[in-house]
Coordinates of all heavy atoms in Angstrom, one line a residue:
Chain C
L21 N -18.1 23.8 -5.5 CA -16.9 24.6 -5.1 C -16.2 24.9 -6.4 O -15.9 24.0 -7.3 CB -16.0 23.7 -4.2 CG -16.5 23.4 -2.9 CD1 -15.6 22.5 -2.1 CD2 -16.8 24.6 -2.0
Q22 N -15.9 26.1 -6.6 CA -15.3 26.6 -7.9 C -13.7 26.6 -7.7 O -13.2 26.9 -6.6 CB -15.8 27.9 -8.3 CG -17.3 28.0 -8.5 CD -17.7 27.3 -9.7 OE1 -16.9 26.9 -10.6 NE2 -19.0 27.0 -9.8
C23 N -13.0 26.2 -8.8 CA -11.6 26.3 -8.8 C -11.1 26.8 -10.2 O -11.6 26.2 -11.2 CB -11.0 25.0 -8.4 SG -9.1 25.0 -8.5
A24 N -10.3 27.8 -10.2 CA -9.8 28.2 -11.5 C -8.3 28.5 -11.3 O -7.8 29.0 -10.3 CB -10.5 29.5 -11.9
Q25 N -7.5 28.2 -12.4 CA -6.1 28.5 -12.3 C -5.7 29.2 -13.6 O -6.3 28.9 -14.7 CB -5.2 27.2 -12.1 CG -5.5 26.1 -13.1 CD -4.6 26.0 -14.3 OE1 -3.7 26.8 -14.5 NE2 -4.9 25.1 -15.2
D26 N -4.8 30.1 -13.5 CA -4.4 30.9 -14.7 C -3.0 30.7 -15.1 O -2.3 31.5 -15.7 CB -4.6 32.4 -14.4 CG -3.7 32.9 -13.2 OD1 -3.0 32.1 -12.6 OD2 -3.8 34.1 -12.8
M27 N -2.5 29.5 -14.8 CA -1.1 29.1 -15.1 C -1.0 28.2 -16.3 O 0.1 27.6 -16.6 CB -0.4 28.5 -13.9 CG -0.3 29.5 -12.7 SD 0.2 28.7 -11.2 CE -1.2 27.9 -10.6
N28 N -2.1 27.9 -16.9 CA -2.2 27.0 -18.1 C -1.7 25.5 -17.7 O -1.0 24.9 -18.5 CB -1.4 27.5 -19.2 CG -1.8 26.9 -20.6 OD1 -3.0 26.6 -20.8 ND2 -0.9 26.7 -21.5
H29 N -2.0 25.1 -16.5 CA -1.6 23.8 -16.0 C -2.5 22.8 -16.5 O -3.7 22.9 -16.5 CB -1.5 23.8 -14.5 CG -0.4 24.5 -13.9 ND1 -0.2 24.7 -12.5 CD2 0.8 25.0 -14.5 CE1 0.9 25.4 -12.3 NE2 1.5 25.5 -13.4
N30 N -2.0 21.6 -16.9 CA -2.8 20.5 -17.4 C -3.4 19.7 -16.2 O -4.6 19.3 -16.3 CB -2.0 19.6 -18.2 CG -1.8 20.1 -19.6 OD1 -2.6 20.8 -20.2 ND2 -0.6 19.8 -20.2
Y31 N -2.7 19.6 -15.1 CA -3.1 18.7 -14.0 C -3.8 19.6 -13.0 O -3.3 20.6 -12.5 CB -1.9 18.0 -13.4 CG -1.2 17.0 -14.3 CD1 -0.3 17.5 -15.2 CD2 -1.5 15.7 -14.3 CE1 0.4 16.6 -16.0 CE2 -0.9 14.8 -15.1 CZ 0.1 15.3 -16.0 OH 0.7 14.4 -16.8
M32 N -5.0 19.1 -12.6 CA -5.7 19.7 -11.5 C -6.2 18.7 -10.5 O -6.5 17.6 -10.9 CB -6.8 20.6 -12.0 CG -6.3 21.8 -12.8 SD -7.6 23.0 -13.2 CE -7.8 23.8 -11.6
Y33 N -6.4 19.1 -9.2 CA -6.7 18.1 -8.2 C -7.7 18.8 -7.2 O -7.6 20.0 -6.9 CB -5.4 17.7 -7.4 CG -4.3 17.2 -8.3 CD1 -3.4 18.1 -8.9 CD2 -4.1 15.9 -8.4 CE1 -2.4 17.7 -9.7 CE2 -3.0 15.4 -9.2 CZ -2.2 16.3 -9.8 OH -1.1 15.9 -10.6
W34 N -8.5 17.9 -6.6 CA -9.2 18.3 -5.4 C -8.9 17.4 -4.2 O -8.9 16.2 -4.4 CB -10.7 18.2 -5.7 CG -11.3 19.4 -6.3 CD1 -11.7 19.6 -7.6 CD2 -11.6 20.7 -5.6 NE1 -12.2 20.8 -7.8 CE2 -12.2 21.5 -6.6 CE3 -11.4 21.1 -4.3 CZ2 -12.6 22.8 -6.3 CZ3 -11.8 22.4 -4.1 CH2 -12.4 23.3 -5.0
Y35 N -8.5 18.0 -3.1 CA -8.2 17.3 -1.9 C -9.2 17.8 -0.8 O -9.7 18.9 -0.8 CB -6.8 17.6 -1.4 CG -5.7 17.0 -2.2 CD1 -5.2 17.7 -3.3 CD2 -5.2 15.8 -1.9 CE1 -4.1 17.2 -4.0 CE2 -4.1 15.2 -2.6 CZ -3.6 15.9 -3.7 OH -2.6 15.4 -4.4
R36 N -9.4 16.9 0.2 CA -10.1 17.3 1.4 C -9.2 17.0 2.6 O -8.4 16.1 2.5 CB -11.4 16.6 1.6 CG -11.4 15.1 1.6 CD -12.8 14.5 1.9 NE -13.2 14.7 3.3 CZ -14.4 14.4 3.8 NH1 -15.3 14.0 3.0 NH2 -14.6 14.6 5.1
Q37 N -9.3 17.9 3.6 CA -8.5 17.7 4.8 C -9.4 17.7 6.0 O -10.0 18.7 6.3 CB -7.5 18.8 4.9 CG -6.5 18.7 6.0 CD -5.5 19.8 6.1 OE1 -5.8 20.9 5.9 NE2 -4.3 19.5 6.5
D38 N -9.4 16.6 6.7 CA -10.2 16.5 7.9 C -9.2 16.8 9.1 O -8.0 16.6 9.0 CB -10.8 15.1 8.0 CG -11.7 14.8 6.9 OD1 -12.4 15.7 6.4 OD2 -11.8 13.6 6.4
P39 N -9.7 17.2 10.2 CA -8.9 17.6 11.4 C -7.9 16.4 11.7 O -8.3 15.3 11.9 CB -9.9 17.8 12.5 CG -11.1 18.2 11.8 CD -11.2 17.4 10.5
G40 N -6.7 16.7 11.9 CA -5.7 15.8 12.3 C -5.3 14.8 11.2 O -4.5 13.8 11.5
M41 N -5.8 14.9 10.0 CA -5.5 14.0 8.9 C -4.8 14.7 7.8 O -4.8 15.9 7.7 CB -6.8 13.4 8.4 CG -7.8 12.9 9.4 SD -7.1 11.3 10.1 CE -7.4 10.2 8.8
G42 N -4.2 13.9 7.0 CA -3.5 14.5 5.8 C -4.5 14.9 4.7 O -5.7 14.7 4.9
L43 N -4.1 15.3 3.6 CA -4.9 15.7 2.5 C -5.3 14.4 1.8 O -4.4 13.6 1.5 CB -4.3 16.6 1.6 CG -4.2 18.1 2.0 CD1 -3.2 18.4 3.1 CD2 -3.9 19.0 0.8
K44 N -6.5 14.2 1.5 CA -7.0 13.0 0.8 C -7.5 13.4 -0.6 O -8.3 14.4 -0.7 CB -8.2 12.3 1.5 CG -7.8 11.8 2.9 CD -6.9 10.6 2.9 CE -6.7 10.1 4.3 NZ -5.7 9.0 4.3
L45 N -7.0 12.7 -1.6 CA -7.4 13.1 -3.0 C -8.8 12.6 -3.3 O -9.1 11.4 -3.2 CB -6.3 12.4 -4.0 CG -6.5 12.7 -5.4 CD1 -6.3 14.2 -5.7 CD2 -5.5 11.9 -6.2
I46 N -9.6 13.6 -3.8 CA -11.0 13.3 -4.1 C -11.1 12.9 -5.6 O -11.5 11.8 -6.0 CB -11.9 14.5 -3.8 CG1 -11.7 14.9 -2.4 CG2 -13.3 14.1 -4.1 CD1 -12.4 16.2 -2.1
Y47 N -10.7 13.9 -6.5 CA -10.7 13.7 -7.9 C -9.5 14.4 -8.5 O -9.0 15.3 -7.9 CB -12.0 14.3 -8.5 CG -13.1 13.3 -8.7 CD1 -14.1 13.3 -7.7 CD2 -13.3 12.5 -9.8 CE1 -15.2 12.4 -7.8 CE2 -14.3 11.6 -9.9 CZ -15.3 11.6 -8.9 OH -16.4 10.8 -9.1
Y48 N -9.1 14.0 -9.7 CA -8.1 14.7 -10.4 C -8.4 14.7 -11.9 O -9.2 14.0 -12.4 CB -6.7 14.1 -10.1 CG -6.5 12.7 -10.6 CD1 -6.0 12.4 -11.9 CD2 -6.9 11.6 -9.8 CE1 -5.8 11.1 -12.3 CE2 -6.7 10.3 -10.3 CZ -6.2 10.1 -11.5 OH -6.0 8.8 -12.0
S49 N -7.6 15.6 -12.6 CA -7.8 15.7 -14.0 C -6.4 15.9 -14.6 O -5.6 16.7 -14.1 CB -8.7 16.9 -14.3 OG -8.7 17.2 -15.7
V50 N -6.2 15.2 -15.7 CA -4.9 15.4 -16.4 C -5.0 16.3 -17.6 O -4.0 16.5 -18.4 CB -4.3 14.0 -16.8 CG1 -4.1 13.2 -15.6 CG2 -5.2 13.3 -17.8
G51 N -6.2 16.8 -17.9 CA -6.4 17.7 -19.0 C -7.8 18.0 -19.2 O -8.7 17.3 -18.7
A52 N -8.1 19.0 -20.0 CA -9.5 19.3 -20.3 C -10.3 18.0 -20.9 O -9.7 17.3 -21.8 CB -9.6 20.4 -21.3
G53 N -11.4 17.8 -20.3 CA -12.2 16.6 -20.8 C -11.9 15.3 -20.1 O -12.5 14.3 -20.4
I54 N -10.8 15.3 -19.3 CA -10.4 14.0 -18.6 C -10.4 14.2 -17.1 O -9.7 15.0 -16.6 CB -9.0 13.7 -19.1 CG1 -8.9 13.6 -20.6 CG2 -8.6 12.3 -18.5 CD1 -7.5 13.5 -21.1
T55 N -11.2 13.3 -16.5 CA -11.2 13.3 -15.0 C -11.1 11.9 -14.5 O -11.5 10.9 -15.2 CB -12.4 14.0 -14.4 OG1 -13.6 13.2 -14.8 CG2 -12.6 15.4 -14.9
D56 N -10.7 11.7 -13.3 CA -10.7 10.4 -12.7 C -10.8 10.5 -11.2 O -10.5 11.5 -10.6 CB -9.4 9.7 -13.1 CG -9.6 8.1 -13.1 OD1 -10.6 7.6 -12.6 OD2 -8.7 7.5 -13.7
K57 N -11.2 9.3 -10.6 CA -11.4 9.3 -9.1 C -10.1 9.2 -8.4 O -9.1 8.5 -8.8 CB -12.3 8.1 -8.8 CG -13.6 8.2 -9.4 CD -14.4 6.9 -9.0 CE -15.8 7.0 -9.7 NZ -16.6 5.8 -9.4
G58 N -10.0 9.8 -7.2 CA -8.9 9.6 -6.3 C -9.3 8.6 -5.2 O -10.0 7.7 -5.4
E59 N -8.8 8.9 -4.0 CA -9.0 8.0 -2.9 C -10.4 8.0 -2.3 O -10.9 7.0 -1.9 CB -8.1 8.3 -1.7 CG -6.6 8.3 -2.0 CD -5.8 8.9 -0.9 OE1 -5.6 8.1 0.1 OE2 -5.4 10.1 -1.0
V60 N -11.0 9.2 -2.3 CA -12.3 9.4 -1.6 C -13.3 10.1 -2.5 O -13.8 11.2 -2.2 CB -12.1 10.1 -0.3 CG1 -11.4 9.3 0.7 CG2 -11.4 11.5 -0.5
P61 N -13.8 9.5 -3.6 CA -14.6 10.2 -4.5 C -16.1 10.2 -4.2 O -16.9 10.9 -4.8 CB -14.4 9.4 -5.9 CG -14.1 8.0 -5.4 CD -13.4 8.2 -4.1
N62 N -16.5 9.3 -3.3 CA -18.0 9.1 -3.1 C -18.6 10.4 -2.6 O -18.2 11.0 -1.6 CB -18.2 7.9 -2.1 CG -17.8 6.6 -2.7 OD1 -17.7 6.5 -3.9 ND2 -17.7 5.6 -1.9
G63 N -19.7 10.7 -3.2 CA -20.5 11.9 -2.8 C -20.1 13.2 -3.6 O -20.6 14.2 -3.3
Y64 N -19.1 13.0 -4.5 CA -18.6 14.2 -5.3 C -18.7 13.9 -6.8 O -18.6 12.8 -7.2 CB -17.2 14.5 -4.9 CG -17.0 14.7 -3.4 CD1 -16.5 13.6 -2.6 CD2 -17.1 15.9 -2.8 CE1 -16.3 13.8 -1.2 CE2 -16.9 16.1 -1.4 CZ -16.5 15.0 -0.7 OH -16.3 15.2 0.7
N65 N -18.7 15.0 -7.5 CA -18.5 14.9 -9.0 C -17.7 16.1 -9.4 O -17.7 17.1 -8.8 CB -19.9 14.9 -9.7 CG -20.5 13.5 -9.8 OD1 -19.9 12.6 -10.3 ND2 -21.6 13.4 -9.2
V66 N -17.0 15.9 -10.5 CA -16.2 17.0 -11.1 C -16.4 17.0 -12.6 O -17.0 16.1 -13.2 CB -14.7 16.8 -10.8 CG1 -14.4 16.9 -9.4 CG2 -14.2 15.5 -11.4
S67 N -16.0 18.1 -13.2 CA -16.0 18.3 -14.6 C -14.8 19.1 -15.0 O -14.3 19.9 -14.2 CB -17.3 18.9 -15.2 OG -17.4 20.2 -14.6
R68 N -14.3 19.0 -16.2 CA -13.2 19.8 -16.7 C -13.4 20.1 -18.1 O -12.9 19.5 -19.1 CB -11.9 19.0 -16.5 CG -10.6 19.8 -16.9 CD -10.0 20.4 -15.7 NE -8.8 21.2 -16.0 CZ -7.6 20.8 -16.1 NH1 -7.4 19.5 -15.9 NH2 -6.6 21.6 -16.3
S69 N -14.2 21.1 -18.3 CA -14.6 21.5 -19.7 C -13.5 22.5 -20.3 O -13.4 22.6 -21.5 CB -15.9 22.2 -19.7 OG -15.9 23.3 -18.8
T70 N -12.7 23.1 -19.4 CA -11.6 24.0 -19.9 C -10.4 23.7 -19.1 O -10.4 23.1 -18.1 CB -12.0 25.5 -19.7 OG1 -12.0 25.8 -18.3 CG2 -13.3 25.8 -20.4
T71 N -9.2 24.1 -19.6 CA -8.0 23.9 -18.9 C -8.0 24.7 -17.6 O -7.5 24.2 -16.6 CB -6.8 24.4 -19.7 OG1 -6.7 23.7 -20.9 CG2 -5.5 24.3 -19.0
E72 N -8.7 25.8 -17.5 CA -8.6 26.7 -16.4 C -9.5 26.3 -15.2 O -9.1 26.5 -14.1 CB -9.1 28.1 -16.8 CG -8.1 28.9 -17.8 CD -8.3 28.4 -19.2 OE1 -9.4 27.8 -19.5 OE2 -7.4 28.6 -20.0
D73 N -10.6 25.7 -15.5 CA -11.6 25.5 -14.4 C -11.8 24.0 -14.1 O -11.9 23.1 -14.9 CB -13.0 26.0 -14.9 CG -12.9 27.5 -15.1 OD1 -12.6 28.3 -14.2 OD2 -13.1 27.9 -16.3
F74 N -12.0 23.7 -12.8 CA -12.2 22.4 -12.3 C -13.1 22.4 -11.1 O -12.7 22.3 -9.9 CB -10.8 21.8 -11.9 CG -10.8 20.3 -11.6 CD1 -11.5 19.4 -12.4 CD2 -10.1 19.8 -10.6 CE1 -11.5 18.1 -12.2 CE2 -10.0 18.5 -10.3 CZ -10.7 17.6 -11.1
P75 N -14.4 22.6 -11.3 CA -15.4 22.6 -10.2 C -15.6 21.3 -9.6 O -15.6 20.3 -10.3 CB -16.6 23.2 -10.9 CG -16.5 22.8 -12.3 CD -15.0 22.8 -12.6
L76 N -15.9 21.3 -8.3 CA -16.2 20.1 -7.5 C -17.7 20.3 -7.0 O -18.0 21.2 -6.4 CB -15.3 20.0 -6.3 CG -15.6 18.8 -5.4 CD1 -15.1 17.5 -6.0 CD2 -14.8 19.0 -4.0
R77 N -18.5 19.3 -7.4 CA -19.9 19.3 -7.1 C -20.2 18.3 -5.9 O -19.7 17.2 -6.0 CB -20.7 18.9 -8.3 CG -22.2 18.8 -8.1 CD -22.8 20.1 -8.3 NE -24.3 20.0 -8.2 CZ -25.1 21.0 -7.9 NH1 -24.5 22.2 -7.7 NH2 -26.4 20.9 -7.8
L78 N -20.9 18.8 -4.9 CA -21.3 18.0 -3.8 C -22.8 17.8 -4.0 O -23.6 18.8 -4.0 CB -21.1 18.6 -2.4 CG -19.7 18.6 -1.9 CD1 -18.7 19.5 -2.6 CD2 -19.7 18.9 -0.4
E79 N -23.2 16.5 -4.1 CA -24.7 16.2 -4.2 C -25.1 15.7 -2.9 O -24.4 14.8 -2.3 CB -24.9 15.2 -5.3 CG -24.3 15.6 -6.7 CD -25.2 16.5 -7.4 OE1 -26.3 17.0 -6.9 OE2 -24.9 16.9 -8.6
L80 N -26.3 16.1 -2.4 CA -26.9 15.6 -1.2 C -25.8 15.6 0.0 O -25.4 14.5 0.4 CB -27.3 14.1 -1.4 CG -28.4 13.9 -2.5 CD1 -28.7 12.5 -2.7 CD2 -29.7 14.7 -2.1

Side-chain angles (χ1 to χ4, degrees):
Chain C
L21 297 176
Q22 302 291 346
C23 177
Q25 52 93 6
D26 61 1
M27 297 172 281
N28 202 32
H29 286 170
N30 284 323
Y31 296 83
M32 294 189 74
Y33 308 82
W34 274 106
Y35 288 89
R36 59 176 285 172
Q37 183 181 37
D38 300 325
M41 308 290 287
L43 283 73
K44 299 288 186 187
L45 183 63
I46 306 171
Y47 269 96
Y48 64 94
S49 170
V50 300
I54 306 169
T55 63
D56 208 346
K57 297 177 181 178
E59 300 170 82
V60 290
N62 291 344
Y64 307 95
N65 276 301
V66 294
S67 59
R68 185 93 183 272
S69 56
T70 66
T71 298
E72 294 78 19
D73 300 299
F74 190 43
L76 177 72
R77 177 88 177 155
L78 281 73
E79 304 281 1
L80 299 174

